Amino acid sequence: MVVYDLIIIGGGPAGITAGIYAARQKLNTLLITKSFGGQIARKAVGIENYPGFEEISGLDLIKKFEKHLRRASARSDGHKIDIERDGVRKVKKIGEKFLVQTTGKNTFEAKAVIIASGADPRPLEVPGEKKFIGKGVSYCTTCDGPLFANKKVAVVGGGNAGFEAAIFLAKFAKKIYILEYSEKISADVENQERVKKTGKIEVIINVQPKEVKGEKFVNSLVYLNGKTEKEVNLAVEGVFIEIGTQPATSFVKGLVDFNEKDEIKVNPWTSQTSCPGLFAAGDADEVPYKQIVIAAGEGAKAAISAYEYLQKF
Amino acid sequence: MVVYDLIIIGGGPAGITAGIYAARQKLNTLLITKSFGGQIARKAVGIENYPGFEEISGLDLIKKFEKHLRRASARSDGHKIDIERDGVRKVKKIGEKFLVQTTGKNTFEAKAVIIASGADPRPLEVPGEKKFIGKGVSYCTTCDGPLFANKKVAVVGGGNAGFEAAIFLAKFAKKIYILEYSEKISADVENQERVKKTGKIEVIINVQPKEVKGEKFVNSLVYLNGKTEKEVNLAVEGVFIEIGTQPATSFVKGLVDFNEKDEIKVNPWTSQTSCPGLFAAGDADEVPYKQIVIAAGEGAKAAISAYEYLQKF
């Protein structure tokens, strides 16, 4: 069995940058990811804060990142990066070797591992939510928004992500409700003004979602008005959930130290976790600011650290 | 007198990224820099490890960064970024206000400061070096290399920077000597192979430079062979110095804590220095890996931290 120098888990900005650096250092590397892009692929509006690109769609930026990775791999003199399209179920360490088991039940071995698995959308955790995934419930506005032409939809979450999702949906849907749990809208002023301008987005506060209902497809969202304590049955055919993310780190539980948010603890200078040879970068670790360019920088750090660690073998 | 929200010192990847973020947060910002680019502007070979650009010259990347900054500034609804083309002589804190004095003897005020002044080339510190700056002695191969067509030149420094400088000079110069202090070449294998291929670069080890000599212009470099202990007079018309960098941080001496390398100590998660309201990012701080994408990520962190700090006013 091939023992890789390095396995990178994740195909977002941190994982891809780690891959570019690993290829240039001529490490035998495997990158495991279900798809490229991470959270960028779900971004509903253009990206304006990754230096070098004044304005670019998430999809276009990720295409450029992926192309860069493939080119670095092609130029690495036979140490090219293998790519496995899968999720990860478990990472174990046996002696000095890491075993990475994928969802598809393959096992890969490496001397070092970088976790750049980012974060997944946080679910509402109400009845009906799981049942209607792909049948009206969505965590990805850019993926599913166009399917809701001339329909009524709800966006759960009154932060910037929720407002940006609603602005994107306004191109397709007939009517959009933004539902916010608290009394206060946290989206920034610019997004609030853009929502107003569409003329078809209604913002409702004090919303405690209770259930997603439907038959074959979603037909309503039931919520409690936290102020009046009345139950409301909101007729919508789509429910977009934009209430934040949670780190996708369950597959290393028990192997490394976490903080209280389930983020992996690291030495911020070297990306080293509590487990020697295991590094973490991007939104899966405890970096307080979740930004594309910060995640990319962390990916570079982790790859350089992994390279230094591998010199001892 | 205008009191800025934020003064950013430095126009390399860290400073420009901080500026892009500051403009988007609508902070009244002044960016002070002698020129844009920092160390990128001195890079002799293409950049292949800034994610999104498979291969780009330092000059082109910096142009894109600068254009991005100007666009973010133009879109910031009147909170545009002022740019002062100057060096910085001293930063002081009086009460809660920072005073930044430039080399050109202007003084600017701000509530917060980000130091992204990067690093300067390290000088050889031998007689004649200072005297012949611009007359044969250079710290910037890309700037000055083309002036040495058909001449003999020396590059001091056997690391990657020295080798890359020599490869660039091979396009112009007749003969190039790479002079390395120790017995060991630290440039990577790829650069060593490329140097060989040019057929006009000679690598000499055990070189202890003693003096740069000349009349109007440089005509030789005197060095001691560390092994034979013989003095050698090497006839060259150009001396390119590539022996590393030193942080450009002298203007905050006494105000913030430094490490033993004169790098500014920071909290790596927030870029906060030992002086409240003063942040540092990029090669001026103690981040162990000096990379463009890491510096850019740090610039973003510092700007977000500065924004949070400014909320208290």
Side-chain angles (χ1 to χ4, degrees), chain A residues 21 24 48 50-51 68 291, chain B residues 21 24 48 50-51 68 291:
Chain A
Y21 272 78
R24 289 174 56 81
E48 298 179 349
Y50 182 74
H68 193 162
Q291 298 287 318
Chain B
Y21 271 78
R24 291 174 56 80
E48 297 180 350
Y50 182 74
H68 193 161
Q291 297 289 317

Side-chain angles (χ1 to χ4, degrees), chain B residues 48-68:
Chain B
E48 297 180 350
N49 60 5
Y50 182 74
F53 299 98
E54 295 166 42
E55 186 171 2
I56 187 164
S57 73
L59 214 64
D60 285 344
L61 185 60
I62 270 302
K63 266 190 209 153
K64 281 183 191 289
F65 277 15
E66 192 187 336
K67 208 173 144 215
H68 193 161

Side-chain angles (χ1 to χ4, degrees), chain B residues 245-261:
Chain B
T245 60
Q246 55 193 12
T249 53
S250 57
F251 54 84
V252 283
K253 232 164 212 167
L255 187 61
V256 296
D257 293 346
F258 284 64
N259 69 9
E260 69 291 343
K261 292 183 201 162

